[in-house]
Amino acid sequence: MNEQRAARSVEAVFREDRSRLLALLAARFGDLDLAEETASDAIEAALQRWPVDGVPDRPLAWLLTTARRRAIDRIRRDRTFAERLAVLQVEHDRAAAAAADEPGFDDIPDERLQLFFTCCHPALSPQAHTALTLRYLAGLTTPEVARAFLVPTATMAQRIVRAKHKIRSARIPFRTPAPDELPARLPSVLRVVYLVFTEGHAASAGSDLLRPDLADEAIRLARILHRLLPGEREVAGLLALLLLTDARRAARTDAAGGQVLLEDQDRARWDAGLVAEGQRLLVPALTGPGVGPYAVQAAIAALHDEAADFDATDWPQIVALYDVLHRIEPSPLVALNRAIAVAMRDGPEAGLVLLDGLAGARELRGYHLLPAARADLLRRLGRTAEAAAAYRAALDLVGNEPERATLVRRLAELPGP
């Protein structure tokens, strides 16, 4: 086997199972740095050995065994490290590692759920949750995570280092919460995945409307979560929401990368496969008492996807679902989206009254979609001067260039005095 073929095999294994390998090592040794370093050592060893010996039948098991041996060697050389890990009962893990030499692929447990909950532990900041999840579960490099947050690489590197130090100093365990803890801990994990997707679905800044890399990673993470927690309805609801929303990706921009609004999209370009998969997930997510917010949002997305055209959208049903969502999650953002739906059902005046009631909401300060939505309703009412002022207010806040171009175009289309 030549070197290139071996390298492709390593790349394929690591792309598919990198987060699983890291999670296994972190769970065994209780240290993300050691997990990263020894995983890299194992990859380097594979690149040297596989071209000579051939790719093993169980590549992940080979990498795991090699990484564990490197970790144990490192511990033996480093007395301080060994003393610290002794607190974590590393000797027990070493014995288990020796006993489980060269396990079969199917024998390797999937520890990624533990890593999800460690990255999103309540002792860490929300910013750290997202940074660690992207770094260790999505597999993004530190510069890539920095670009996702629009901060310098050095800033993100420091943020990740501080988060890892917090995990060590607070002795945050690498474990899945007990069943009685899960309801309180799971929402933070789901929120991180959702935030990654929303940034990929509509970038908060920059020259591109979409960040397909982030949207794809969020969907991949949601699929992993659903596979690990098949009985959690909100996990199914979140995955359904992401799929039903992402199904419209191809129609959301034109050939030049400009924004195409929902009412103007070519629905033939929507991904029917993703819509069907999302609809299948939606059934169990909505079945039973205590429906969660992601399942309700997925149901709204499904109604949009099912409409033959924009005029055929079932706005009464969408408003009813926003009523449910607002009872579950009474946030100004939900109220904003409900007001837009009410405007589509009852007319722009009804929606404008609701939007004006949100003018003082602290959470919506600096959010360009509030003045943008007001501008559109004022335009429909023929209140041109007020619409122009609202468009200008939105332009002062928007950070994404394609969205800015849409607002500029709408402003220019207003009839003159």
Side-chain angles (χ1 to χ4, degrees), residues 339-340 343 347-348 351-352 355 372-382:
I340 295 170
L352 190 60
L355 287 183
R374 285 193 75 251
D376 283 339
L377 297 186
L378 289 164
R379 175 179 55 82
R380 289 168 59 188
L381 290 167

Side-chain angles (χ1 to χ4, degrees), residues 204-284:
S204 55
S207 58
D208 298 321
L209 178 67
L210 314 176
R211 291 283 309 274
D213 54 339
L214 291 181
D216 288 343
E217 282 302 329
I219 290 172
R220 194 175 70 85
L221 293 173
R223 287 189 189 281
I224 292 171
L225 276 173
H226 184 246
R227 194 159 58 245
L228 297 173
L229 293 169
E232 290 294 331
R233 292 163 55 201
E234 264 298 80
V235 177
L238 174 64
L239 179 55
L241 172 61
L242 304 195
L243 295 174
L244 290 163
T245 306
D246 197 59
R248 305 174 208 140
R249 184 194 296 183
R252 294 182 58 232
T253 54
D254 58 25
Q259 182 182 26
V260 181
L261 298 173
L262 182 63
E263 56 263 40
D264 300 322
Q265 290 174 16
D266 177 2
R267 298 183 178 221
R269 300 183 64 197
W270 290 2
D271 190 321
L274 291 184
V275 172
E277 184 181 359
Q279 289 171 325
R280 286 195 297 273
L281 287 162
L282 191 53
V283 174

Side-chain angles (χ1 to χ4, degrees), residues 12-296:
V13 170
F14 211 53
R15 186 176 58 248
E16 293 301 319
D17 290 302
R18 178 183 181 278
S19 62
R20 196 174 167 190
L21 181 61
L22 281 174
L24 284 158
L25 294 168
R28 184 167 298 281
F29 297 105
D31 190 287
L32 281 171
D33 284 330
L34 184 65
E36 269 199 302
E37 290 165 5
T38 53
S40 297
D41 287 349
I43 291 294
E44 184 178 344
L47 288 170
Q48 292 174 356
R49 296 305 314 167
W50 292 6
V52 178
D53 302 338
V55 176
D57 293 337
R58 303 181 183 94
L60 178 61
W62 190 98
L63 289 169
L64 176 60
T65 299
T66 302
R68 283 193 311 213
R69 288 173 174 164
R70 298 294 174 95
I72 292 169
D73 289 344
R74 194 167 299 201
I75 290 167
R76 284 172 175 154
R77 291 196 303 268
D78 189 334
R79 177 178 295 177
T80 302
F81 208 8
E83 288 173 351
R84 179 159 57 84
L85 291 179
V87 178
L88 302 171
Q89 298 181 321
V90 71
E91 292 301 331
H92 170 78
D93 292 333
R94 289 170 59 191
D101 195 29
E102 297 290 357
F105 184 86
D106 293 337
D107 299 328
I108 300 175
D110 195 325
E111 310 286 358
R112 282 176 293 190
L113 198 58
Q114 297 179 9
L115 191 53
F116 267 111
F117 282 97
T118 302
C119 291
C120 298
H121 194 276
L124 302 172
S125 70
Q127 287 180 325
H129 292 170
T130 314
L132 290 176
T133 301
L134 288 176
R135 180 76 184 87
Y136 294 106
L137 283 156
L140 271 63
T141 64
T142 299
E144 288 171 335
V145 179
R147 281 199 296 275
F149 280 86
L150 303 174
V151 299
T153 299
T155 301
M156 182 51 64
Q158 291 171 359
R159 188 177 296 171
I160 291 174
V161 167
R162 283 197 298 271
K164 288 191 293 187
H165 176 73
K166 178 72 174 181
I167 290 173
R168 282 195 297 269
S169 62
R171 295 184 181 176
I172 293 174
F174 287 80
R175 69 173 180 85
T176 306
D180 61 328
E181 298 175 295
L182 200 59
R185 294 283 303 280
L186 186 58
S188 62
V189 173
L190 301 183
R191 178 172 172 74
V192 165
V193 177
Y194 181 66
L195 288 176
V196 173
F197 179 80
T198 55
E199 183 62 24
H201 179 71
S204 55
S207 58
D208 298 321
L209 178 67
L210 314 176
R211 291 283 309 274
D213 54 339
L214 291 181
D216 288 343
E217 282 302 329
I219 290 172
R220 194 175 70 85
L221 293 173
R223 287 189 189 281
I224 292 171
L225 276 173
H226 184 246
R227 194 159 58 245
L228 297 173
L229 293 169
E232 290 294 331
R233 292 163 55 201
E234 264 298 80
V235 177
L238 174 64
L239 179 55
L241 172 61
L242 304 195
L243 295 174
L244 290 163
T245 306
D246 197 59
R248 305 174 208 140
R249 184 194 296 183
R252 294 182 58 232
T253 54
D254 58 25
Q259 182 182 26
V260 181
L261 298 173
L262 182 63
E263 56 263 40
D264 300 322
Q265 290 174 16
D266 177 2
R267 298 183 178 221
R269 300 183 64 197
W270 290 2
D271 190 321
L274 291 184
V275 172
E277 184 181 359
Q279 289 171 325
R280 286 195 297 273
L281 287 162
L282 191 53
V283 174
L286 289 174
T287 303
V291 174
Y294 294 114
V296 177

